[in-house]
Protein backbone atom coordinates (compact mmCIF):
# COMPACT_ATOMS: atom_id res chain seq x y z
CA UNK A 1 0.00 0.00 0.00
CA UNK A 2 1.28 3.43 -0.93
CA UNK A 3 1.77 6.16 1.65
CA UNK A 4 -0.57 9.16 1.46
CA UNK A 5 2.08 11.77 1.96
CA UNK A 6 1.56 15.21 3.45
CA UNK A 7 -0.72 16.47 0.66
CA UNK A 8 -2.91 13.37 0.84
CA UNK A 9 -3.24 13.69 4.59
CA UNK A 10 -4.23 17.35 4.27
CA UNK A 11 -6.86 16.52 1.65
CA UNK A 12 -8.23 13.70 3.80
CA UNK A 13 -8.42 16.00 6.84
CA UNK A 14 -10.15 18.70 4.78
CA UNK A 15 -12.74 16.21 3.50
CA UNK A 16 -13.28 14.85 7.01
CA UNK A 17 -13.66 18.32 8.50
CA UNK A 18 -16.07 19.47 5.79
CA UNK A 19 -18.13 16.31 6.25
CA UNK A 20 -18.31 16.71 10.03
CA UNK A 21 -19.28 20.37 9.65
CA UNK A 22 -21.94 19.57 7.03
CA UNK A 23 -23.47 16.85 9.22
CA UNK A 24 -23.42 19.16 12.24
CA UNK A 25 -25.15 21.90 10.25
CA UNK A 26 -27.78 19.50 8.95
CA UNK A 27 -28.50 18.07 12.40
CA UNK A 28 -28.17 21.10 14.68
CA UNK A 29 -29.21 24.07 12.56
CA UNK A 30 -30.40 23.35 8.99
CA UNK A 31 -31.08 27.06 8.37
CA UNK A 32 -27.30 27.59 8.22
CA UNK A 33 -27.26 25.55 5.03
CA UNK A 34 -28.85 28.50 3.21
CA UNK A 35 -26.13 30.75 4.59
CA UNK A 36 -23.38 28.36 3.46
CA UNK A 37 -24.87 28.10 -0.03
CA UNK A 38 -25.30 31.86 -0.25
CA UNK A 39 -21.78 32.66 0.90
CA UNK A 40 -20.15 30.13 -1.43
CA UNK A 41 -22.21 31.14 -4.50
CA UNK A 42 -19.59 33.75 -5.57
CA UNK A 43 -16.96 30.97 -5.40
CA UNK A 44 -19.08 28.86 -7.72
CA UNK A 45 -19.42 31.83 -10.09
CA UNK A 46 -15.65 32.30 -10.14
CA UNK A 47 -15.22 28.56 -10.80
CA UNK A 48 -17.60 28.73 -13.77
CA UNK A 49 -16.06 31.92 -15.19
CA UNK A 50 -12.50 30.65 -14.88
CA UNK A 51 -11.96 28.66 -18.03
CA UNK A 52 -8.44 27.35 -17.59
CA UNK A 53 -7.43 23.94 -16.34
CA UNK A 54 -5.51 25.51 -13.48
CA UNK A 55 -8.19 27.09 -11.35
CA UNK A 56 -6.14 29.36 -9.10
CA UNK A 57 -8.74 32.11 -8.74
CA UNK A 58 -11.38 29.64 -7.57
CA UNK A 59 -8.99 28.08 -5.07
CA UNK A 60 -8.09 31.51 -3.67
CA UNK A 61 -11.73 32.53 -3.48
CA UNK A 62 -12.89 29.32 -1.80
CA UNK A 63 -10.01 29.26 0.69
CA UNK A 64 -10.53 32.82 1.83
CA UNK A 65 -14.32 32.41 1.98
CA UNK A 66 -13.95 29.25 4.04
CA UNK A 67 -11.51 30.96 6.38
CA UNK A 68 -13.97 33.80 6.97
CA UNK A 69 -17.23 31.82 6.97
CA UNK A 70 -16.02 28.89 9.08
CA UNK A 71 -16.00 30.77 12.39
CA UNK A 72 -19.40 32.28 11.58
CA UNK A 73 -20.88 28.84 10.98
CA UNK A 74 -19.28 27.44 14.13
CA UNK A 75 -20.55 30.36 16.21
CA UNK A 76 -24.00 29.87 14.69
CA UNK A 77 -23.92 26.22 15.71
CA UNK A 78 -22.75 26.94 19.25
CA UNK A 79 -24.75 30.11 19.98
CA UNK A 80 -28.42 29.42 19.38
CA UNK A 81 -29.40 33.03 20.11
CA UNK A 82 -27.38 34.39 17.18
CA UNK A 83 -29.33 35.04 13.98
CA UNK A 84 -26.73 34.80 11.23
CA UNK A 85 -29.12 35.21 8.33
CA UNK A 86 -29.84 38.82 9.34
CA UNK A 87 -26.28 39.80 10.22
CA UNK A 88 -24.79 41.93 7.43
CA UNK A 89 -21.24 41.31 8.69
CA UNK A 90 -21.75 37.55 8.60
CA UNK A 91 -22.51 37.90 4.88
CA UNK A 92 -20.17 40.73 3.94
CA UNK A 93 -16.91 39.56 5.49
CA UNK A 94 -16.78 36.09 3.85
CA UNK A 95 -17.81 37.47 0.46
CA UNK A 96 -15.20 40.25 0.72
CA UNK A 97 -12.59 37.71 1.81
CA UNK A 98 -13.45 35.55 -1.21
CA UNK A 99 -13.08 38.57 -3.49
CA UNK A 100 -9.69 39.30 -1.89
CA UNK A 101 -8.64 35.68 -2.46
CA UNK A 102 -9.66 35.94 -6.11
CA UNK A 103 -7.75 39.20 -6.45
CA UNK A 104 -4.63 37.67 -4.93
CA UNK A 105 -4.84 34.67 -7.24
CA UNK A 106 -5.38 36.79 -10.36
CA UNK A 107 -3.68 40.14 -9.79
CA UNK A 108 -0.46 39.12 -8.02
CA UNK A 109 0.72 36.82 -10.86
CA UNK A 110 -0.13 39.54 -13.40
CA UNK A 111 1.94 42.07 -11.47
CA UNK A 112 4.81 39.59 -11.24
CA UNK A 113 4.68 39.03 -14.97
CA UNK A 114 4.69 42.78 -15.65
CA UNK A 115 7.72 43.22 -13.41
CA UNK A 116 9.53 40.35 -15.14
CA UNK A 117 8.73 41.79 -18.57
CA UNK A 118 10.03 45.22 -17.55
CA UNK A 119 13.24 43.69 -16.21
CA UNK A 120 13.73 41.69 -19.42
CA UNK A 121 13.26 44.83 -21.53
CA UNK A 122 15.84 46.66 -19.41
CA UNK A 123 18.28 43.77 -19.80
CA UNK A 124 17.67 43.73 -23.54
CA UNK A 125 18.38 47.47 -23.75
CA UNK A 126 21.68 46.88 -21.92
CA UNK A 127 22.52 44.08 -24.37
CA UNK A 128 21.76 46.35 -27.33
CA UNK A 129 24.08 49.03 -25.92
CA UNK A 130 26.79 46.43 -25.44
CA UNK A 131 26.25 45.16 -28.98
CA UNK A 132 26.59 48.69 -30.35
CA UNK A 133 29.78 49.20 -28.36
CA UNK A 134 31.21 45.89 -29.61
CA UNK A 135 30.34 46.73 -33.22
CA UNK A 136 32.05 50.08 -32.83
CA UNK A 137 35.12 48.38 -31.35
CA UNK A 138 35.33 45.24 -33.52
CA UNK A 139 33.37 46.18 -36.61
CA UNK A 140 30.24 44.55 -38.02
CA UNK A 141 30.53 40.78 -37.52
CA UNK A 142 26.88 39.67 -37.41
CA UNK A 143 24.28 39.87 -40.15
CA UNK A 144 21.10 40.42 -38.13
CA UNK A 145 20.88 42.60 -35.02
CA UNK A 146 19.25 41.22 -31.91
CA UNK A 147 15.46 41.34 -31.79
CA UNK A 148 13.58 41.55 -28.50
CA UNK A 149 11.60 38.50 -27.37
CA UNK A 150 7.81 38.42 -27.76
Amino acid sequence: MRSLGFRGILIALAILGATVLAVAVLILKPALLAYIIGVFTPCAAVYIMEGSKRRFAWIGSAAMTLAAAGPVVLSGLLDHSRFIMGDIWAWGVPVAAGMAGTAVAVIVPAIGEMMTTREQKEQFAILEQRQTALIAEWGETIKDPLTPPG
Side-chain angles (χ1 to χ4, degrees):
M1 187 169 135
R2 202 176 91 183
S3 171
L4 282 177
F6 185 69
R7 182 173 184 242
I9 292 171
L10 282 179
I11 291 172
L13 287 175
I15 291 171
L16 178 66
T19 304
V20 168
L21 187 60
V23 169
V25 166
L26 288 173
I27 291 173
L28 298 175
K29 211 168 189 183
L32 279 178
L33 197 57
Y35 169 77
I36 292 171
I37 291 170
V39 166
F40 280 96
T41 298
C43 297
V46 170
Y47 181 82
I48 291 168
M49 288 188 298
E50 193 173 24
S52 67
K53 291 181 181 179
R54 296 180 180 167
R55 297 186 180 271
F56 295 117
W58 176 78
I59 293 169
S61 175
M64 293 292 283
T65 301
L66 182 63
V72 175
V73 171
L74 288 175
S75 70
L77 287 174
L78 299 174
D79 183 9
H80 294 289
S81 65
R82 185 169 183 206
F83 182 62
I84 292 175
M85 300 301 279
D87 186 4
I88 191 70
W89 288 104
W91 289 91
V93 171
V95 171
M99 291 168 46
T102 303
V104 166
V106 172
I107 294 172
V108 169
I111 291 172
E113 189 170 330
M114 288 186 327
M115 291 171 57
T116 302
T117 302
R118 186 185 74 203
E119 184 178 318
Q120 287 175 346
K121 286 182 180 180
E122 290 173 359
Q123 291 295 325
F124 189 78
I126 292 170
L127 285 174
E128 283 181 326
Q129 291 173 355
R130 179 73 176 141
Q131 180 184 24
T132 304
L134 285 173
I135 288 173
E137 184 178 337
W138 289 78
E140 184 71 41
T141 59
I142 58 172
K143 295 180 182 178
D144 297 323
L146 294 175
T147 55

